[in-house]
Amino acid sequence: MWDKGFRGRYVLIEPTDYCNCDCIMCTRALLGIENPHKVPKGFMDLEVFKRAIDGLEFGAEPLALKLFWVGESMLHPDFREMLAYASEKIKGKNAYIDLHTNATLLTKPMIEFMLSLGETLPRITFSLDAMNPETHKAIRRGGDFDNAKQMIMYFVKERERQHLKFPRFIFQFIIMEENSAECREFVEFWSSFLKDEVKLNLADAWPLLSNERRVELLKQNWVYEKFMELENGA
Ligand code: SF4
């Protein structure tokens, strides 16, 4: 169930709608509004979070507990405690935590902790969208690319060293004018680093691209083939 994406049953709890980045393809940049929720931004109170988790209902269909949306959850000072609480509550249930992060705030202690969560945190999606720091700087404005890359590599190595199965890693690459030239290098680098385990999310940055340009970029031989392969679940 770890690779089901947004299909199936899920609950979305956003610990914060603050972010340390200002990405050009973020909902807020695309809509031109700082706060897409139209309420003051904030950090969810830990007790409110716990009550929400306590109210979850489990059933025959797996439940994904998505702990992110238009913010970077690792900015929340209680995020580790939130993860610990949710993990404990869903242990042995038909549920799992799903996390997307820009990875720029990852630290070794957080990685060690995440590795201890076992199958309650079966996957993490890293939203990188770049292979080199300059591209990352242009797209994921304000994020520390070098830290993100180093920490992800440490994560992979530690999981391997500890002979752990989870979390599995998904690498996201949103194809845009700014990064399309390094899409192949990105896929090849992370595929070879994780050997045959890597799962990639390739998407196109509608509406940043005109329809014509979108089709043109996607149809560039290799990108289009890879995109279709992933769309078809290969
Ligand atoms: S990291 Fe995610 S939430 Fe933050 S600005 Fe970028 S796209 Fe938006």
Side-chain angles (χ1 to χ4, degrees):
M1 65 186 176
W2 71 274
D3 63 349
K4 285 212 179 328
F6 275 88
R7 285 166 284 175
R9 216 161 65 96
Y10 67 87
V11 169
L12 202 152
I13 303 178
E14 184 182 47
T16 182
D17 50 359
Y18 281 107
C19 192
N20 62 318
C21 290
D22 174 26
C23 305
I24 60 172
M25 69 298 191
C26 185
T27 309
R28 45 172 89 90
L30 292 177
L31 297 178
I33 49 172
E34 181 49 27
N35 192 345
H37 295 322
K38 300 192 174 80
V39 292
K41 284 204 263 187
F43 292 93
M44 181 180 268
D45 184 83
L46 180 58
E47 292 311 310
V48 173
F49 178 84
K50 288 181 177 177
R51 284 206 298 279
I53 298 294
D54 291 345
L56 291 177
E57 288 180 6
F58 307 101
E61 198 184 347
L63 175 73
L65 179 55
K66 294 180 180 288
L67 299 184
F68 63 93
W69 194 236
V70 290
E72 173 50 58
S73 302
M74 284 189 216
L75 268 181
H76 198 299
D78 297 324
F79 188 55
R80 180 178 166 140
E81 208 168 335
M82 289 173 164
L83 280 177
Y85 191 82
S87 170
E88 203 47 44
K89 288 283 173 174
I90 65 172
K91 208 169 275 176
K93 307 279 196 326
N94 201 7
Y96 64 100
I97 297 167
D98 183 17
L99 186 63
H100 281 221
T101 175
N102 61 41
T104 58
L105 300 176
L106 269 176
T107 60
K108 288 185 178 178
M110 179 56 101
I111 289 169
E112 292 300 336
F113 171 68
M114 287 176 158
L115 285 167
S116 75
L117 297 179
E119 60 185 6
T120 60
L121 179 63
R123 70 181 203 178
I124 299 180
T125 299
F126 298 125
S127 305
L128 279 178
D129 306 307
M131 195 53 222
N132 74 64
E134 286 314 307
T135 309
H136 189 267
K137 200 170 162 188
I139 295 172
R140 295 205 164 260
R141 297 173 296 202
D144 183 342
F145 176 77
D146 291 331
N147 187 64
K149 187 177 173 187
Q150 278 167 21
M151 286 299 114
I152 292 171
M153 292 172 90
Y154 176 79
F155 213 151
V156 172
K157 291 283 178 202
E158 266 307 287
R159 193 195 61 184
E160 198 176 288
R161 192 186 66 77
Q162 296 182 33
H163 305 291
L164 299 171
K165 190 173 171 198
F166 298 119
R168 303 287 292 268
F169 304 118
I170 298 173
F171 288 78
Q172 183 162 288
F173 193 100
I174 299 176
I175 302 165
M176 293 168 264
E177 293 288 0
E178 289 78 357
N179 65 4
S180 63
E182 58 199 71
C183 181
R184 181 172 196 147
E185 194 188 347
F186 178 91
V187 172
E188 287 177 350
F189 177 83
W190 289 109
S191 302
S192 93
F193 193 72
L194 273 98
K195 312 204 172 59
D196 57 348
E197 274 189 50
V198 76
K199 178 167 168 25
L200 295 149
N201 265 355
L202 295 185
D204 54 293
W206 184 91
L208 275 188
L209 303 167
S210 70
N211 265 349
E212 295 71 33
R213 188 61 186 142
R214 182 172 171 244
V215 171
E216 204 177 298
L217 278 182
L218 287 176
K219 285 201 167 168
Q220 277 174 6
N221 221 356
W222 179 86
V223 171
Y224 184 67
E225 278 168 23
K226 198 75 194 165
F227 188 79
M228 295 313 287
E229 212 178 277
L230 291 163
E231 282 286 282
N232 295 327

